[in-house]
Amino acid sequence: MDLDPSDRFAELRAPAHWQAVDFISDLHLQASEPATFDCWRRYLQRPTAERPDALFILGDLFEVWVGDDVLADSSTGPPDEDHLEHRFWHSCAEILRVYSEHTPVFFMPGNRDFLLGQTGLAACGMEGLKDPTVLVFLGQRWLLSHGDALCLDDADYMRFRTQVRQPGWQRDFLARPLIEREALARELRRQSEARKHEQAGDPSLWADVDGAAARNWLQRSRAHTLIHGHTHRPDRHDLGPSTDGHLQRIVLSDWDATARPPRSEVLRLDARGLHRLPLMARP
């Protein structure tokens, strides 16, 4: 995928007082994974002195998001699967809202939570970001993306992505009853898990970011480093020289506190550069 030459990259200029920012992605928070949720909650509830000046969430914070009305649901029926998930979304939103009272939180949609709208963002105290966005910080330009738009070899997914990002498709989907949307989401998750099982859960078998497309984005955005998630393959990739420096992409870690070893990592950017902060999951 390429951006039309007439398009301009969104840009966010950091305030002068910022000294450190954190990046996370691909937590896939869900009620059925309490260990990962607990690790994330403890990260957000650390002492103020350990916090960054801003938190950037680059997509797939949630395993699924079927519409902001999950936060408005006030049903008091039996604790079935949907009711428990609604309570879980309320807990996530409240934790984020409290955190954002002291630390700004920026959210970029991923392939699982692209339906998080302005009502949901406001409830969580988050500010939405376009994908991609250039962060101007510490005298440099950093290109931020979820990363899925650059996985060009995954033709089936790219067709799906084009479809579901259309305003008309989203309007029609969100017009369906909530219970129907949740049932569809469960079926899509079942299909996704089946595909992962076929690939033995090995992310190295999944489509990766196209290097030429990443270089194109960096050169046109006048940035040297692309920071993204989606691929679940945390690493640094050299993209070669440019006319005014060297290009690279940095891949964020996904989070899974039940994996062995557990995965829960933050990427921090400060005056020392980019460095990874592993978080300890409770045994």
Side-chain angles (χ1 to χ4, degrees):
M1 177 182 177
D2 192 10
L3 293 177
D4 185 272
S6 63
D7 290 341
R8 297 187 63 182
F9 285 82
E11 189 173 292
L12 173 65
R13 292 186 172 271
H17 69 273
W18 283 10
Q19 298 183 38
V21 299
D22 282 0
F23 303 98
I24 60 175
S25 73
D26 299 280
L27 281 75
H28 296 270
L29 296 177
Q30 52 192 306
S32 60
E33 297 288 346
T36 300
F37 167 80
D38 184 61
C39 187
W40 170 73
R41 178 181 54 79
R42 287 186 288 110
Y43 161 70
L44 293 184
Q45 293 177 348
R46 291 180 306 170
T48 302
E50 298 178 13
R51 296 183 182 183
D53 294 297
L55 171 62
F56 289 82
I57 303 173
L58 302 187
D60 285 3
L61 173 64
F62 302 114
E63 169 67 5
V64 66
W65 193 266
V66 298
D68 294 350
D69 50 344
V70 298
L71 297 176
D73 179 64
S74 58
S75 61
T76 57
D80 59 16
E81 183 176 0
D82 289 339
H83 182 64
L84 291 174
E85 285 198 345
H86 296 172
R87 288 167 53 187
F88 178 77
W89 306 137
H90 276 274
S91 296
C92 291
E94 179 62 13
I95 291 169
L96 282 164
R97 187 194 62 75
V98 171
Y99 181 85
S100 69
E101 291 177 352
H102 303 284
T103 304
V105 180
F106 298 89
F107 173 82
M108 180 178 290
N111 54 296
R112 300 298 187 108
D113 47 20
F114 59 90
L115 287 174
L116 185 62
Q118 288 302 317
T119 299
L121 289 171
C124 297
M126 300 191 296
E127 182 175 340
L129 286 180
K130 292 183 178 180
D131 187 355
T133 287
V134 174
L135 171 65
V136 183
F137 178 51
L138 297 175
Q140 296 186 49
R141 298 170 64 82
W142 311 85
L143 184 60
L144 312 180
S145 176
H146 178 58
D148 60 326
L150 292 169
C151 293
L152 304 185
D153 287 343
D154 192 345
D156 289 342
Y157 171 70
M158 295 305 291
R159 285 192 291 271
F160 173 78
R161 186 183 193 278
T162 299
Q163 177 189 26
V164 301
R165 297 303 177 103
Q166 295 294 322
W169 185 95
Q170 295 186 9
R171 182 174 58 252
D172 292 344
F173 180 80
L174 293 173
R176 297 184 179 199
L178 178 58
I179 190 171
E180 183 179 334
R181 280 177 272 143
E182 289 172 327
L184 287 170
R186 281 195 294 272
E187 175 58 20
L188 288 174
R189 276 188 286 176
R190 187 195 64 78
Q191 295 176 11
S192 176
E193 290 303 314
R195 286 193 295 270
K196 290 179 182 178
H197 181 73
E198 291 174 359
Q199 297 170 332
D202 184 358
S204 67
L205 299 176
W206 307 347
D208 202 356
V209 164
D210 183 88
R215 278 184 58 87
N216 177 273
W217 275 22
L218 285 167
Q219 290 170 333
R220 290 183 42 234
S221 64
R222 295 180 289 114
H224 292 145
T225 300
L226 167 65
I227 300 172
H228 71 86
H230 182 64
T231 65
H232 295 203
R233 285 181 259 189
D235 205 347
R236 174 192 175 277
H237 298 268
D238 190 322
L239 296 176
S242 67
T243 56
D244 61 347
H246 214 82
L247 305 181
Q248 64 176 348
R249 65 180 178 93
I250 307 296
V251 188
L252 302 173
S253 170
D254 65 311
W255 286 38
D256 185 349
T258 63
R260 292 294 175 264
R263 298 190 303 274
S264 52
E265 186 179 80
V266 174
L267 183 69
R268 175 159 293 186
L269 173 59
D270 57 25
R272 295 180 295 159
L274 289 163
H275 46 104
R276 298 183 186 268
L277 306 175
L279 304 175
M280 296 299 296
R282 285 178 177 167

